[in-house]
Amino acid sequence: MVEGSGEPEVSDSLRTFGAMLQALREHAGLSREEFGRQIGFSKHTVESVELGRRMPDSMFVDRSEPVLGNTGAVQRAAEHLERRPGLASWFRQWAHKEKSAITLYTYECRMIPGLLQTEAYARTLFLEQLPPMDDAQVEAQWVERAKRQELLRGRPNTAFSFILEEGLFLRRTGGLEITRGQIDHVLEVAKLRNIEVQVMPQVRESHAGLAGPMQLLETPNNTWFAYCEGQRAGLLISEPKEVSVLQQRYARMRSQALTSEESMSLLERIRGAL
């Protein structure tokens, strides 16, 4: 199965709010369509809120209250709704699976992967986002990224593999100082025995990853998933045949990239030339 979604991953608070709303609606003897008509929202919106897939806005909450008995229950429940700021909605399912993965592979050709980014490098990316983010959004983004990075040292039994294009370091994102710090960080992280970092040379006649970046992970029950991300959406892939194709490509890239030792030597030379 290939899943792409712009809606938030279901959270406990959204699910609980939705169940309560559905119970109140059914107690009032209203169908989703009838309820939606009375509060000025579509049947689809009501369904999404009840299933915990959509965060209700203030207008939805305010209009629901009188229709569902004016008890204040809807208003009070809405105060406890939570969303995880700092993570794109389409990435949340993958981030959740990352936490328990026993194997995690990442190939990246656009930017240093989030798990390996320094704070300075990450903030550079956040500040270049369009539409622009305010200070609170930038801070939320970094807080979430820093939490994810705890996986590298917090899960020593998880095997991490990163294949990074040489061009990511030659681009000098953020300037010379940030690039030096980023290279130093990658060199340091690569010393951890559960982490392997390989660099794909800039000049390479054969390359199995030209279709774009990818991530693969293995769960504790030995099920594999893949994830591919574009500009404004992500695909979580669970279909074994599709995952197998990406596993084959990643395996080929590991043989095409420099060895870990060669990669560290190259990064040191790039660092020295800056």
Side-chain angles (χ1 to χ4, degrees), residues 16 50 116 125 223 234 240 245 265:
T16 301
E50 289 186 349
L116 295 178
L125 299 180
T223 301
V245 170
S265 178

Side-chain angles (χ1 to χ4, degrees), residues 133-177:
M133 294 189 290
D134 60 31
D135 290 346
Q137 290 172 315
V138 169
E139 193 62 31
Q141 290 270 351
W142 168 246
V143 168
E144 270 304 328
R145 190 146 302 177
K147 287 180 181 177
R148 284 184 60 225
Q149 291 180 355
E150 293 174 3
L151 293 173
L152 297 178
R153 290 180 169 83
R155 296 190 60 81
N157 298 121
T158 295
F160 294 89
S161 167
F162 297 91
I163 300 176
L164 312 177
E165 291 287 341
E166 180 182 353
L168 300 180
F169 302 97
L170 300 178
R171 184 174 293 136
R172 301 184 182 182
T173 298
L176 289 176
E177 183 176 350

Side-chain angles (χ1 to χ4, degrees), residues 12 36 66-68 76 79 81 87 91 106 120 130 144 146 155 169 172 177-178 198 222 237 243 263 265:
D12 289 341
V67 176
L68 298 178
R76 287 195 294 272
E79 293 173 1
L81 287 174
L87 280 182
F91 185 71
T106 301
L130 292 173
E144 270 304 328
R155 296 190 60 81
F169 302 97
R172 301 184 182 182
E177 183 176 350
I178 288 177
Q198 293 178 263
N222 306 116
I237 305 169
V243 174
S263 297
S265 178

